[in-house]
């Protein structure tokens, strides 16, 4: 007979008789049966499901699903994603390189890429203690991870000296050499990759392609002073011509790279020590064509908003959607003020100030784009001749037009009022005074901390500014930046190109104060996008007075559909950054034929590409996009570039391709040629 081992039951409050039963003396059989278990029964407590268990279960499911999908993606055939895309969107077009290779095109002329400001990569060679571990790491053009890890340190190393425009003491940031320098900008933003890969499909390789990397923060002449960049570009072009059997090079600048190369063409032929000593026919011997893409030859009004308030239409819309967000003490010092400190120390941004004054951009009562309607439908034009001036003058818009010549206006009423009704008080005589509350902001501010309330108010009292008075305004609000600007750049129009002063390098990047080289066989193209609203003028207001706040803001509440005013910014036709007027005027008129700016009669062509947004999400930014950077992936543009590199001339590309009113607007500009 087996012995039964009695197990001592754990004490449990549930075994106790309820207090009410104890008081009443109720010891019924049922109550004792429920409260007193049998000795051989085991108590099994119920488990509880906590929030932690739920989260662990959820994270586990997500991880398993992710790894399963990743396994399927790696296991599927390489052509399966393309097959799915074609099922949804239809058959995909061949890339331009594949298409032209089937037509028999092969590599002929060596190609030189000139990247824009901002898109070229920069790496650290020497830094302060806070930058330990970042030697030869990308400070610009990578994932920008270090911006979030150590923002103060990053701003310190990316800024230049406010007095000299060169490296601060103990810091050396240098451009990354090779094609990799401008392959992409940030995560997923590819700039030159598509063009390079398509050129490779017709036979190009690294020895026939060269990326003219430079430190875009510096003034163009200072890239030579510090890094001998211009000499390196000259030597590489000469080497490419020599090793390719004497074939001249095709230059492909993008955005501000066009201004940089315009400076280079004057430098390379000018005598030393200011120039490269190549002689008056160097460009004629070495360059077949210059294909400018989205070039801001005459500057961009968007640069004015950058200097005044570090804003654009997008920032003003953020203020409209979330009032007070950017003015929050957490975000404001860390974002806008840091951007202002950077932009006021970079001389490359100063090169974007509008050139040509009121003659080009318009006055208080006139602008070349007057009559422009945001909703007007323009038919495609493909012409190789300038529009008839008589017909251009007879085209009068019936809709109310904005005064685009007023680039900055303090108040929507000022932007729309007749010029005779505007009571303006000159700001130049205003007495500046330091704001007491801004003395704690000197690590963030570069200019405004010395203006004072009287100086700020005087700027607003002047009411409205045109292209000429904008330069005077910037001298008032940003004297250090403009002192460097005056030494390296100019924004006027030359009356007499034989004047000896125009031999100075400060004029070489201004197409209205310099001449093209003596190279009649060379061709110059202007490729750019149209069909996107592009900022042309702004409505400003005084910002709320607070410590460390920028005193001016775009008035995001100013809207008027009829005059293309949205979020405080007036828009015209362009690529979203550069207006058509800036990108197309030089090739459409000022360089067209033999003029004082083009004495040898270099042939010039305007090629516009109409923006078409992607039809599905699978297209990404699309191969028909013509936005300022996305146009580098535009198949039509890439095909034209490849044809030129393979030997085609402008006439073989069927001359001009125009979608905008650039010829009509150019005829309205009274410029003696």
């Amino acid at each position: 007979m087996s012995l039964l081992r009695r197990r001592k039951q754990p004490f449990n409050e549930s075994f106790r008789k309820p207090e009410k039963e104890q008081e009443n003396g109720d010891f019924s059989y049922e109550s004792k049966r429920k409260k007193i278990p049998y000795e051989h029964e085991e108590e099994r407590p119920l488990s509880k499901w906590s929030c932690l268990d739920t989260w662990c279960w959820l994270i586990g499911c997500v991880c398993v699903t992710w790894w399963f999908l990743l396994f399927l993606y790696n296991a599927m055939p390489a052509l399966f994603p393309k097959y799915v895309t074609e099922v949804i969107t239809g058959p995909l077009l061949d890339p331009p390189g594949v298409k032209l290779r089937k037509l028999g095109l092969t590599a002929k002329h060596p190609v030189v890429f000139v990247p824009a400001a901002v898109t070229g990569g920069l790496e650290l060679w020497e830094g302060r203690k806070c930058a330990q571990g970042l030697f030869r790491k990308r400070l610009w053009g990578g994932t920008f991870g270090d911006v979030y890890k150590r923002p103060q340190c990053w701003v310190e190393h990316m800024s230049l000296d406010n007095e000299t425009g060169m490296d601060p003491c103990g810091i050396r940031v240098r451009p990354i050499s090779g094609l990799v320098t401008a392959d992409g900008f940030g995560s997923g933003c590819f700039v030159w990759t598509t063009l390079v890969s398509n050129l490779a499909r017709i036979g190009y390789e690294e020895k026939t392609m060269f990326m003219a990397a430079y430190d875009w923060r510096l003034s163009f002449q200072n890239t030579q002073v510090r890094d001998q960049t211009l000499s390196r570009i000259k030597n590489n072009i000469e080497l490419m011509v020599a090793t390719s059997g004497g074939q001249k090079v095709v230059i492909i600048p993008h955005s501000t790279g066009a201004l940089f190369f315009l400076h280079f063409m004057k430098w390379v032929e000018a005598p030393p020590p200011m120039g490269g000593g190549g002689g008056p026919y160097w460009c004629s011997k070495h360059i077949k064509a210059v294909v400018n893409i989205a070039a801001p030859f005459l500057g961009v009004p968007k640069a004015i908003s950058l200097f005044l308030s570090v804003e654009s239409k997008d920032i003003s819309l953020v203020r409209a959607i979330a009032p007070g967000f950017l003015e929050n003490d957490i975000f404001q010092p860390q974002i806008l003020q840091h951007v202002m400190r950077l932009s006021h120390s970079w001389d490359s941004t100063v090169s974007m100030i509008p050139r040509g004054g009121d003659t080009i951009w318009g006055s208080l009562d006139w602008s070349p784009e007057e009559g422009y309607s945001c909703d007007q439908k323009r038919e495609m034009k493909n012409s190789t001749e300038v529009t008839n001036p008589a017909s251009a003058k007879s085209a009068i818009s019936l809709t109310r037009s904005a005064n685009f010549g007023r680039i900055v206006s303090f108040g929507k009423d000022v932007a729309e009022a007749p010029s005779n009704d505007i009571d303006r008080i000159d700001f130049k005589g205003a007495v500046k005074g330091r704001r007491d509350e801004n003395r704690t902001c000197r690590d963030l501010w570069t200019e405004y901390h010395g203006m004072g309330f009287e100086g700020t108010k005087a700027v607003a009292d002047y009411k409205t500014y045109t292209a000429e008075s904008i330069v005077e305004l910037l001298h008032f609000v940003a004297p250090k930046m403009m002192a460097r600007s005056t030494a390296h750049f100019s924004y006027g129009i030359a009356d007499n190109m034989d004047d000896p002063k125009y031999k100075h390098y400060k004029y070489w990047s201004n197409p209205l104060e310099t001449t093209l080289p003596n190279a009649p066989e060379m061709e110059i193209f202007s490729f750019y996008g149209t069909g996107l609203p592009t900022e042309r003028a702004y409505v400003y207001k005084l910002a709320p007075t607070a410590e460390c706040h920028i005193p001016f803001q775009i008035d995001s509440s100013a809207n008027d559909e009829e005059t293309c005013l949205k979020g405080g910014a007036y828009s015209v036709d362009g690529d979203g950054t550069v207006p058509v007027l800036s990108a197309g005027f030089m090739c459409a008129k000022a360089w067209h034929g033999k003029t004082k700016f083009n004495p040898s009669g270099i042939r010039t062509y305007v090629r516009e590409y109409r923006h078409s947004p992607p039809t599905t999400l699978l297209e990404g930014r699309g191969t028909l996009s013509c936005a300022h950077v996305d146009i580098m992936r535009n198949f039509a543009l890439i095909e034209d570039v490849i044809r030129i590199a393979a030997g085609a001339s402008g006439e073989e590309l069927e001359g001009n391709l125009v979608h905008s009113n650039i010829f009509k607007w150019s005829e309205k500009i009274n410029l003696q040629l």
Side-chain angles (χ1 to χ4, degrees), residues 111-115 179 192 195-196 199 209-213 250-253 641:
V111 173
V112 176
F113 308 111
V114 185
L179 293 175
W192 294 91
L195 178 58
V196 171
L199 284 167
M209 293 188 289
F210 169 66
M211 183 68 71
V250 172
I251 311 295
I252 308 175
V641 171

Side-chain angles (χ1 to χ4, degrees), residues 20-35:
K20 189 173 182 180
E21 291 183 354
Q22 291 178 4
E23 292 175 359
N24 298 334
D26 185 5
F27 293 94
S28 62
Y29 172 76
E30 289 294 327
S31 66
K32 287 187 289 183
R33 183 179 179 182
K34 293 178 182 179
K35 305 302 179 184

Side-chain angles (χ1 to χ4, degrees), residues 608-663:
E608 296 181 343
Y609 303 87
R610 188 71 177 170
H611 176 74
S612 180
T615 56
T616 66
L617 293 175
L618 294 177
E619 293 184 30
R621 294 193 297 270
T623 58
L624 297 177
S625 174
C626 294
H628 187 65
V629 175
D630 291 347
I631 198 172
M632 299 296 289
R633 302 176 66 248
N634 185 287
F635 274 13
L637 180 143
I638 292 175
E639 183 174 333
D640 285 345
V641 171
I642 294 177
R643 288 183 182 275
I644 295 170
S649 65
E651 292 297 328
E652 291 172 331
L653 291 183
E654 300 181 355
N656 296 330
L657 175 65
V658 180
H659 300 284
S660 71
N661 290 322
I662 180 59
F663 285 123

Side-chain angles (χ1 to χ4, degrees), residues 260-576:
F260 178 80
F261 194 76
L262 190 65
H263 180 98
F264 170 83
M265 287 193 294
K266 294 298 292 185
W267 173 88
V268 73
E269 293 187 347
M274 191 179 297
Y281 300 103
W282 189 94
C283 291
S284 179
K285 295 177 181 178
H286 296 88
I287 301 176
K288 187 257 184 187
V290 182
V291 185
N292 301 289
I293 302 176
F297 285 119
L298 303 179
V300 291
K302 203 170 188 176
I304 303 304
S305 65
L306 174 66
F307 296 135
L308 283 184
S309 57
V310 201
E311 286 183 300
S312 63
K313 182 176 66 177
D314 299 331
I315 299 296
S316 68
L317 291 176
V318 170
R319 282 201 173 98
I321 296 172
F325 177 77
L326 291 174
E327 284 72 23
N328 188 286
D329 290 337
I330 298 177
F331 297 101
Q332 178 82 352
Q334 295 300 324
I335 300 178
L336 297 185
Q337 271 81 354
H338 282 318
V339 175
M340 174 166 283
R341 175 181 173 182
L342 289 173
S343 63
H344 279 211
S345 70
W346 294 344
D347 288 338
S348 61
T349 57
V350 184
S351 69
M352 303 291 287
I353 295 175
R355 293 178 163 90
D358 295 358
T359 302
I360 300 294
W361 296 95
S363 60
L364 295 179
D365 299 311
W366 169 86
S367 67
E369 304 100 325
E370 62 181 352
Y372 172 77
S373 174
C374 304
D375 299 325
Q376 69 182 16
K377 296 181 179 179
R378 293 175 295 275
E379 297 180 357
M380 181 182 296
K381 302 174 184 179
N382 189 352
S383 172
T384 58
E385 297 182 358
V386 178
T387 305
N388 187 351
S391 61
K393 292 181 181 179
S394 63
I396 301 176
S397 175
L398 298 178
T399 60
R400 185 165 56 90
S401 175
N403 297 317
F404 295 117
R406 306 177 188 184
I407 296 181
V408 170
S409 299
F410 279 85
K412 184 173 180 289
D413 55 338
V414 174
E416 298 175 346
S419 59
N420 295 332
D421 297 341
I422 302 176
D423 185 17
R424 305 166 76 189
I425 301 176
D426 196 352
F427 61 89
K428 300 174 189 175
V431 178
K432 293 184 178 182
R434 186 177 306 280
R435 296 187 186 186
D436 293 336
E437 69 270 23
N438 281 337
R439 290 178 180 173
T440 60
C441 306
R442 296 194 63 178
D443 58 331
L444 298 176
W445 290 66
T446 58
E447 304 283 357
Y448 281 142
H449 64 268
M451 280 190 64
F453 294 110
E454 291 298 324
T456 301
K457 185 176 181 299
V459 170
D461 287 342
Y462 195 69
K463 305 295 184 183
T464 183
Y465 297 83
T466 62
E468 289 183 2
S469 54
I470 278 290
V471 177
E472 298 173 352
L473 170 65
L474 292 178
H475 275 284
F476 183 78
V477 302
K480 292 183 180 179
M481 179 186 74
M482 294 305 292
R484 300 192 317 271
S485 169
T486 303
H488 290 275
F489 300 101
S490 181
Y491 310 102
I493 300 176
D495 295 326
N496 179 14
M497 295 304 305
D498 295 328
D499 193 325
K501 74 175 185 179
Y502 293 115
K503 295 181 180 180
H504 193 274
Y505 59 77
K506 67 181 289 185
Y507 301 102
W508 291 349
S509 62
N510 181 0
L512 298 174
E513 293 184 300
T514 191
T515 57
L516 292 176
N518 186 12
E521 296 180 355
M522 192 172 78
E523 294 181 319
I524 294 182
F525 297 85
S526 188
F527 290 3
Y528 56 90
T530 64
L532 285 168
T534 305
E535 295 166 42
R536 176 67 165 80
Y538 300 92
V539 175
Y540 265 85
K541 66 178 181 180
L542 286 177
T545 303
E547 185 178 1
C548 295
H549 280 194
I550 298 171
F552 309 119
Q553 287 181 3
I554 294 176
D555 187 356
S556 58
S557 64
N559 295 283
D560 189 345
E561 293 183 2
E562 191 173 352
T563 58
C564 309
L565 175 62
K566 183 178 180 181
Y570 290 97
S571 298
V572 293
D573 196 7
D575 65 3

Side-chain angles (χ1 to χ4, degrees), residues 211-229:
M211 183 68 71
Y214 61 99
D215 190 339
W216 45 264
R217 301 173 303 160
L218 303 176
S219 69
F220 302 149
Q221 191 69 9
N222 275 346
T223 62
Q224 172 67 13
V225 173
R226 196 193 71 179
D227 302 331
Q228 295 74 52
T229 299

